[in-house]
């Protein structure tokens, strides 16, 4: 019998997220100079900052290369940001070694086929509700939120509530 995803939440110490389609809605606006503009949900940002402050390893593995994305995420306190990652297994393995991770301690939220190889390795693969079918099939949790519309906040808040780390005073400190 398959266990409920809620039974996996107490063991999570590391949160890994894709960017496009997870932290964004997957739509890019292409400017005349070729720069691609993305939108991120501020509630997702608050949850990421709260997770960092609570001591979770929060990591980003993205195929995108936009330095504005790196700046935004670094300002939230995220230290492990891998952009231009086309073989996400390589970056995942670096994180496993760096933090001595076990699969049952890792959540990975992705939305499309490039995320699939890593999602098969982690204890809690999850996705937004508008993820590709293959990703939904491998996920143990599918958020009721779409990418860029609060799916990251959804899963972080659930984990932190189960672990007693969601701060009702909402005092995430921004550096």
């Amino acid at each position: 019998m398959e266990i409920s995803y809620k039974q996996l939440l107490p063991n999570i110490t590391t949160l890994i997220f894709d960017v496009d389609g997870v932290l964004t809605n997957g739509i890019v606006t292409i400017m005349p100079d070729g720069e691609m503009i993305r939108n991120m949900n501020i509630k997702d940002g608050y949850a990421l900052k709260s997770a960092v402050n609570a001591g979770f390893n929060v990591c980003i593995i993205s195929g995108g290369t936009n330095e504005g994305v790196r700046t935004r995420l670094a300002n939230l306190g995220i230290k492990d940001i891998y952009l231009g990652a086309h073989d996400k297994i390589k970056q995942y393995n670096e994180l496993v070694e760096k933090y001595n991770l076990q699969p049952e301690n890792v959540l990975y939220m992705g939305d499309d086929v490039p995320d699939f190889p890593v999602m098969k390795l982690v204890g809690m693969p999850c996705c937004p509700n508008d993820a590709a079918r293959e990703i939904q099939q491998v996920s143990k949790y599918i958020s009721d939120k779409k990418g860029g519309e609060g799916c990251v906040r959804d899963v972080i808040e659930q984990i932190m509530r189960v672990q007693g780390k969601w701060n009702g005073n909402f005092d995430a400190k921004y550096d």
Side-chain angles (χ1 to χ4, degrees), residues 7 14 19 30 55 57 88 93 100 105 107 117 129-131 163 168:
Q7 293 173 283
T14 301
V19 173
I30 302 171
N57 302 317
K88 295 183 178 192
N93 286 333
N100 193 29
N105 302 126
L107 171 141
N129 74 3
D130 58 344
Q163 294 185 14

Side-chain angles (χ1 to χ4, degrees), residues 42-62:
I42 199 76
K43 291 177 183 149
D44 286 345
Y46 179 80
L48 288 165
K49 181 64 176 164
S50 295
V52 167
N53 288 356
F56 288 90
N57 302 317
V58 180
C59 314
I60 304 297
I61 303 177
S62 174

Side-chain angles (χ1 to χ4, degrees), residues 45-172:
Y46 179 80
L48 288 165
K49 181 64 176 164
S50 295
V52 167
N53 288 356
F56 288 90
N57 302 317
V58 180
C59 314
I60 304 297
I61 303 177
S62 174
T65 58
N66 185 294
E67 288 301 314
V69 168
R70 182 187 309 277
T71 300
R72 164 69 175 146
L73 297 171
N75 286 340
L76 294 174
I78 299 172
K79 308 252 186 278
D80 297 297
I81 303 170
Y82 297 95
L83 301 181
H86 300 292
D87 176 10
K88 295 183 178 192
I89 294 285
K90 177 182 176 199
Q91 286 77 22
Y92 172 72
N93 286 333
E94 286 179 27
L95 292 167
V96 166
E97 186 173 319
K98 179 177 181 178
Y99 294 110
N100 193 29
L101 300 174
Q102 300 302 312
E104 62 270 14
N105 302 126
V106 182
L107 171 141
Y108 184 100
M109 182 175 262
D111 72 304
D112 209 350
V113 175
D115 301 306
F116 189 84
V118 175
M119 292 178 75
K120 291 190 320 186
L121 298 176
V122 302
M124 188 168 169
C126 59
C127 66
N129 74 3
D130 58 344
R133 175 174 287 134
E134 297 88 347
I135 299 305
Q136 289 187 17
Q137 289 172 344
V138 75
S139 292
K140 292 185 179 174
Y141 175 70
I142 300 173
S143 175
D144 65 345
K145 310 284 188 206
K146 292 181 180 180
E149 296 182 10
C151 63
V152 171
R153 165 71 175 258
D154 170 39
V155 74
I156 289 175
E157 185 174 338
Q158 286 191 62
I159 292 165
M160 290 181 70
R161 282 187 186 279
V162 164
Q163 294 185 14
K165 296 178 180 177
W166 186 252
N167 187 341
N169 295 325
F170 301 103
D171 63 352

Side-chain angles (χ1 to χ4, degrees), residues 1-10 124 140-141 158:
M1 182 172 144
E2 179 119 357
I3 64 171
S4 164
Y5 81 92
K6 289 195 178 269
Q7 293 173 283
L8 303 173
L9 301 180
M124 188 168 169
K140 292 185 179 174
Y141 175 70
Q158 286 191 62

